[in-house]
């Protein structure tokens, strides 16, 4: 059974940093899944944060997050960590770890356009002074 468990969400001030973790179970990164993070703020549509090709290590961030967010994978622990810096109030949202084990779509920047077969329950990030 595939499970994605997010952690690390918190409330911080603008300009602060947070690290979000995603622990995956039911499969391993050795199978080279396409994974990522998406977020959803109240009253807004779901938005892509990052796509990572766990096989090649290639990552894709939307323009507004480049330079502020980075991501790392740990194949031994089957985890992803999203490092977020210089956070802004607009980053306030529920953050979800997502996965596409079958790589049903090309694992690249356009992957944001499509639904993901697997998603965790989310972790809340609040940026407020």
């Amino acid at each position: 059974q595939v499970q994605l468990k997010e952690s690390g969400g918190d409330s911080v001030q603008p300009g602060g940093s947070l690290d979000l973790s995603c622990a995956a179970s039911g499969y391993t990164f050795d199978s080279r899944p396409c994974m990522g993070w998406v977020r959803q703020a109240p009253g807004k549509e779901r938005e892509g944060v990052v796509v990572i090709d766990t096989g090649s290590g290639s990552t894709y961030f939307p323009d507004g997050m480049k330079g502020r967010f980075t991501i790392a994978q740990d194949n031994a622990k089957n985890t992803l960590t999203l490092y977020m810096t210089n956070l802004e109030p607009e980053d306030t949202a529920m953050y979800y770890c997502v996965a596409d084990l079958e790589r049903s779509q090309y694992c690249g920047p356009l992957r944001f356009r499509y639904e993901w077969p697997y998603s965790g329950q989310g972790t809340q990030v609040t940026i407020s002074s």
Side-chain angles (χ1 to χ4, degrees):
Q1 181 181 2
V2 174
Q3 289 189 332
L4 301 170
K5 177 64 175 175
E6 303 95 338
S7 62
D10 203 347
S11 180
V12 299
Q13 293 186 343
S17 301
L18 278 176
D19 301 338
L20 304 184
S21 292
C22 171
S25 59
Y27 68 100
T28 70
F29 288 6
D30 292 341
S31 61
R32 304 160 63 95
C34 185
M35 297 187 65
W37 288 85
V38 300
R39 68 186 186 185
Q40 188 164 21
K44 294 187 176 181
E45 293 187 355
R46 186 167 282 199
E47 177 184 23
V49 175
V50 60
V51 173
I52 179 169
D53 182 333
T54 62
S56 67
S58 297
T59 61
Y60 309 94
F61 290 91
D63 289 341
M65 299 166 203
K66 290 179 182 177
R68 298 194 300 127
F69 294 1
T70 57
I71 189 169
Q73 65 183 84
D74 186 330
N75 286 19
K77 297 181 178 179
N78 240 34
T79 60
L80 294 178
T81 303
L82 179 67
Y83 301 96
M84 306 189 296
T85 64
N86 195 21
L87 287 162
E88 305 167 349
E90 293 72 24
D91 295 316
T92 295
M94 185 73 79
Y95 284 68
Y96 301 90
C97 181
V98 292
D100 180 359
L101 308 189
E102 303 298 327
R103 300 173 71 99
S104 59
Q105 304 291 339
Y106 173 65
C107 193
L110 298 182
R111 188 61 184 82
F112 293 131
R113 297 183 180 182
Y114 304 98
E115 292 295 320
W116 294 81
Y118 299 99
S119 176
Q121 295 298 308
T123 186
Q124 178 66 40
V125 171
T126 303
I127 313 303
S128 175
S129 55

